[in-house]
Amino acid sequence: MIELIEVGKTYETKDGSVIALENINLTIQNGEIFGIIGYSGAGKSTLIRLINLLERPSKGRLIVDNRDMLQLGERELRDARKQIGMIFQHFNLLWSRNVAQNIALPLELAGVHHKARDARVSELLALVGLEGRGKAYPSQLSGGQKQRVGIARALASRPKILLCDEATSALDPKTTESILQLLREINRKLGITIVIITHEMKVISSTCHRVAVLDKGIIVESGAVSEVFGHPKQEITREFVGKTGLPLEQIRKPKHVLLRAVFRSSTAQRAIITELARSEQLFGRIVQAETFGDDGGSIVLETGADNEAIQHAVAALRAKDVLIEVLNG
Amino acid sequence: MNALILNIDWSAMLVSTGETLYMTLVSAVFTFLFGLLLGFVLFLTAKNGLYENRLIYRLTASFVNVFRSIPFIILIILLIPLTVLILRTMIGSTAALPAIIIGSAPFYARLVEIGLREVDKGVIEAAQSMGASRWQIVYKVFFPEALPAIVSGMTVTLIALISNTAMAGVIGAGGLGTIAYNEGFEANNNGITVIATLIILLIVFIIQIIGDQITRWIDKR
């Protein structure tokens, strides 16, 4: 478990102090994929670097796996870092080492015997789908392959936590999806806690369980992905939601009523489809649809139904754990 | 041309070439070691360096700057007392070594420092995130990642160093510089000067080719 308690970070510059993060309270549970979304300059990079203390907070407390990180000595901190893997936007591989040697680096640093190292490296190459590429150098790999090496390297010392610093921002959409798929797989197979920072809504909605929205150094909203994006309370969250499907302005000028139904389970998903099938009048057309996490998602419907029929459907769906709202009522 | 070549004492030329190679080789080894050490100290103790230390940085930087600025011919004269103290002589190839090394190492140190500064900061951050100690970062990351710059810097330094051995020759260090000056210029035998020059050029070319080859071989970027 990762806990940040009233954490703040201030940089001292020539022109005075700059507040990068203020009053951050965050709890990340074991085994979850937690996303932090924000525009550049919001303080995301600083926030993720606080977790392994690449940046030291100016105030507050940081607890990782019941260890008070700010109380650790240099050697203890290095040991704690071996439990926290990290991957980067620009991969940060050593070009002087080949793929296998890059993956072996954390093991070398930990003094693992070379035979055990080789065995672990081939295991990791298989895990990230790079069998047979161990002898290649980073300069011979594509961006997606480089990030796979980064992931293998980060997992080498069997950490409990994986930090992803804009890990897909330098990749094209297709490669992004394959890397996210790998991260989801690792999370499922190894039960590793993953923290992702990104400015891309798609990354959060396809991969994260919970999310925090960071704006100008402050967490303005957080919770389950379906909750936060299903019922955005802050303007900035709405902007991120609007970035997936059609621009919201376009949807907001319809002829009829717009309904947004948000579901967080497959049961709720089925309830929506049942309700739509039952009431022919209710179904108009689907304006927008997307999925969050494993079973969550939302559908925006344009419906020509009268008020009474809508109220009836809304009540029925709410009873089945579907969050529903009229967007232009 | 025939007359020129006939007038040359080839065995003396061979001895001189040997002396030049001896001075080059020995001073190259020490220049490499001292320069590498100084370069790392400069880089690591600088502001925001891994071992930031103002006093050591200032001292090293002053030493490097001073000895890099003194013209070599003056440096030899200035270092005569030191040379006599260490080697008990001020004449001969060995006596030229301290001046050549002290003249070249600071130059090489700056090249090493520049090479280290080129190492990607992100890679250092990655190593830190793996729990690497400072010393591990130095020898597992900085050294191998800067190696092409360290090698190509040594090639550049070696060529400057050979010109210094020739200059040292004028004040009695022996080698191709001495033979070109004493036998060639003073005895008005231009053939010797020309041949000595050609041999020096040949040595420089060979070093350049080998250096470039090694750099290309280790540079996996």
Side-chain angles (χ1 to χ4, degrees), chain A residues 27-251:
Chain A
T27 305
I28 299 171
Q29 302 294 341
N30 284 340
E32 76 173 329
I33 305 183
F34 193 95
I36 297 164
I37 190 168
Y39 292 116
S40 51
K44 299 179 305 255
S45 284
T46 309
L47 180 53
I48 202 163
R49 278 168 177 70
L50 290 178
I51 297 174
N52 58 2
L53 290 187
L54 285 178
E55 301 259 14
R56 288 194 90 88
S58 318
K59 56 181 175 228
R61 295 180 63 204
L62 169 67
I63 317 283
V64 178
D65 279 325
N66 298 322
R67 252 189 303 210
D68 191 337
M69 297 288 281
L70 295 170
Q71 302 301 320
L72 300 180
E74 209 190 297
R75 183 181 293 266
E76 295 166 309
L77 174 60
R78 288 206 310 265
D79 285 338
R81 278 178 176 163
K82 289 178 177 133
Q83 299 296 310
I84 309 173
M86 189 166 188
I87 58 173
F88 304 87
Q89 178 174 7
H90 298 295
F91 324 119
N92 296 353
L93 304 176
L94 278 75
W95 60 256
S96 59
R97 287 173 167 243
N98 66 27
V99 168
Q101 291 165 335
N102 262 290
I103 298 173
L105 181 59
L107 303 170
E108 272 178 45
L109 296 174
V112 175
H113 190 266
H114 73 89
K115 270 191 189 149
R117 227 156 56 201
D118 291 349
R120 180 76 183 131
V121 168
S122 28
E123 230 173 85
L124 288 158
L125 283 171
L127 178 70
V128 300
L130 285 176
E131 293 103 325
R133 298 305 312 263
K135 293 233 157 58
Y137 279 87
S139 59
Q140 299 165 313
L141 301 180
S142 68
Q145 288 172 322
K146 282 182 196 160
Q147 196 56 288
R148 281 168 190 271
V149 178
I151 291 171
R153 183 178 70 175
L155 295 177
S157 48
R158 303 180 196 275
K160 299 195 184 89
I161 298 164
L162 178 63
L163 306 177
C164 308
D165 176 18
E166 295 276 6
T168 57
S169 300
L171 305 173
D172 62 62
K174 209 174 147 201
T175 316
T176 293
E177 185 38 45
S178 78
I179 292 294
L180 291 174
Q181 198 183 333
L182 177 61
L183 290 176
R184 290 193 293 264
E185 213 177 287
I186 287 165
N187 169 258
R188 251 198 317 271
K189 268 196 216 163
L190 311 176
I192 191 171
T193 310
I194 300 182
V195 183
I196 293 178
I197 65 162
T198 182
H199 62 271
E200 291 173 302
M201 173 66 187
K202 263 198 324 225
V203 172
I204 302 281
S205 62
S206 70
T207 306
C208 298
H209 305 133
R210 290 199 304 143
V211 63
V213 182
L214 194 65
D215 188 23
K216 300 187 187 85
I218 298 169
I219 293 182
V220 292
E221 220 170 324
S222 71
V225 171
S226 53
E227 200 83 56
V228 170
F229 290 135
H231 293 270
K233 293 186 188 71
Q234 301 288 331
E235 188 50 42
I236 181 169
T237 317
R238 263 182 228 119
E239 280 175 43
F240 280 120
V241 173
K243 275 194 182 131
T244 51
L246 291 162
L248 274 181
E249 299 77 53
Q250 231 169 296
I251 313 172

Side-chain angles (χ1 to χ4, degrees), chain B residues 148 151 209-221:
Chain B
V151 171
I209 289 167
I210 293 174
D212 288 350
Q213 205 57 45
I214 296 175
T215 307
R216 204 169 308 144
W217 180 59
I218 55 176
D219 198 343
K220 300 291 192 331
R221 269 172 290 198

Side-chain angles (χ1 to χ4, degrees), chain A residues 259 282 305-318 324 326:
Chain A
L259 283 180
L282 190 65
D306 57 36
N307 224 355
E308 198 186 327
I310 291 171
Q311 288 310 324
H312 186 263
V314 165
L317 286 171
R318 278 194 179 140
I324 193 157
V326 178

